[in-house]
Amino acid sequence: MSDFNAVIESLFRAASGLSLPLLHRLGSALGWLTYAASPTYRRRMRAHVAQAGLEWAHARGAVASTGRMLAELPRLWCRPADQALGDLVRWEGVEHLETALSARRGLVMLTPHLGCFEVIAQAYAERFGARSPITALYRPARQPWLRTLVAQSRDRPGLLTAPATLSGVRQMIRALRQGGTVGVLPDQVPPEGMGVWAPFFGREAYTMTLASRLVQQTGAAWLLLRCERLPAGQGYVIHVSAPQQPMPPADDPVGAATVVNQEMERLIRACPHQYLWAYNRYKAPRAQPAAESGGEQP
């Protein structure tokens, strides 16, 4: 198995040298191959699109987009820390970030699994990290070789990481109270005991309370971000917007989770052809390992 992992890692690193247009072409083929080969995958993707009230034609591009998301990871994760993203990324709505950072009361950035969400933390660190470092929540990969690559991808100036554990939550709260920035993807199913049931596209989904509690416990500002992948490997556009609703108080966790879900829905509807519709968003939460127990309180 170690030899197999070594081969996979070598292939992954070799793929990092391919151009982004080529990786995206390969990813498109991978996405459609997976869609064609797996009836379960296909049914889930179509069911989730229908649950959102969208026509399949509006979300059909997500089949190829999911493959592109996987294919671009070698280039993003293995990119040397001193190699700037530069013109590969442009920002829209950056004035919202400027205003929030100027207030110096901490900033929570929320983004769904849409487009190239992996590039957001890197691009933020490159542009704003010296001013206010970002702490990104992550769950360590099970495979040792993959853990090494992920750690390398996030070992960059202005970019810190926090594990998805109680200690990681405390780390993020400290960062916010010191005026820092944290990044969270709130549209993933958290472990049992770390979320509440709240509607997501009209169906109850187990939703993390972490995103709202970070705002409620620290008084930090919060913004919504989505990273749209441009066609033909031309790069990415990061869209920044302010929430359209205030965050409910801490004594209403379901209301707060509902607001966060509604804001995620708004971002997804703006770019449905790049959302990760195949993710099993409505599954039951997994049991939380004992080492991670204790909830989200700091």
Side-chain angles (χ1 to χ4, degrees):
M1 181 61 72
S2 59
D3 290 342
F4 175 77
N5 288 339
V7 170
I8 295 298
E9 182 178 358
S10 296
L11 291 174
F12 194 96
R13 292 187 181 278
S16 69
L18 301 178
S19 69
L20 191 59
L22 177 56
L23 287 172
H24 281 178
R25 286 197 295 272
L26 294 172
S28 296
L30 174 64
W32 278 105
L33 179 62
T34 304
Y35 181 84
S38 174
T40 300
Y41 179 92
R42 193 163 57 246
R43 284 195 299 269
R44 180 184 298 155
M45 179 176 278
R46 283 182 167 269
H48 288 178
V49 170
Q51 179 65 45
L54 297 171
E55 296 291 335
W56 174 244
H58 295 155
R60 183 176 182 272
V63 175
S65 179
T66 301
R68 294 186 191 113
M69 177 195 71
L70 295 173
E72 67 198 357
L73 289 180
R75 187 176 178 89
L76 293 174
W77 285 0
C78 297
R79 182 176 64 89
D82 59 353
Q83 183 182 96
L85 290 166
D87 294 338
L88 194 65
V89 175
R90 62 183 175 87
W91 295 78
E92 290 191 0
V94 73
E95 66 274 7
H96 295 294
L97 275 174
E98 293 286 358
T99 299
L101 294 177
S102 295
R104 297 183 179 179
R105 60 187 181 96
L107 171 62
V108 178
M109 302 197 313
L110 303 182
T111 182
H113 287 78
L114 184 153
C116 187
F117 54 88
E118 277 282 343
V119 88
I120 291 178
Q122 291 188 18
Y124 173 94
E126 188 172 295
R127 180 161 180 173
F128 300 103
R131 181 175 173 185
S132 177
I134 180 172
T135 301
L137 185 70
Y138 78 101
R139 189 175 299 281
R142 294 181 180 179
Q143 298 87 350
W145 69 270
L146 189 54
R147 283 200 298 269
T148 301
L149 286 170
V150 173
Q152 172 184 314
S153 74
R154 292 165 181 171
D155 183 18
R156 302 177 185 278
L159 175 55
L160 308 172
T161 56
T165 62
L166 180 58
S167 63
V169 173
R170 288 172 172 160
Q171 179 183 338
M172 289 190 293
I173 288 177
R174 284 196 300 270
L176 290 171
R177 287 176 173 164
Q178 294 169 3
T181 299
V182 303
V184 179
L185 287 85
D187 62 331
Q188 55 189 327
V189 180
E192 186 177 5
M194 299 184 71
V196 294
W197 291 95
F200 183 68
F201 286 120
R203 179 180 172 185
E204 292 294 297
Y206 197 66
T207 303
M208 68 163 64
T209 54
L210 174 61
S212 56
R213 289 171 70 172
L214 288 173
V215 175
Q216 294 160 342
Q217 292 185 23
T218 65
W222 60 297
L223 293 173
L224 297 312
L225 289 84
R226 64 178 176 91
C227 183
E228 182 178 359
R229 188 181 295 107
L230 296 174
Q234 297 176 67
Y236 310 95
V237 180
I238 299 177
H239 302 265
V240 186
S241 61
Q244 295 186 348
Q245 307 172 70
M247 183 67 73
D251 60 1
D252 184 12
V254 174
T258 299
V259 165
V260 170
N261 279 349
Q262 289 173 345
E263 295 292 350
M264 294 299 102
E265 290 175 18
R266 178 169 62 85
L267 299 189
I268 294 164
R269 290 185 189 279
C271 195
H273 57 288
Q274 292 193 18
Y275 185 59
L276 196 63
W277 293 107
Y279 176 63
N280 194 2
R281 182 65 184 88
Y282 301 104
K283 66 182 178 182
R286 64 176 175 80
Q288 188 179 18
E292 296 181 11
S293 64
E296 295 175 0
Q297 291 289 350

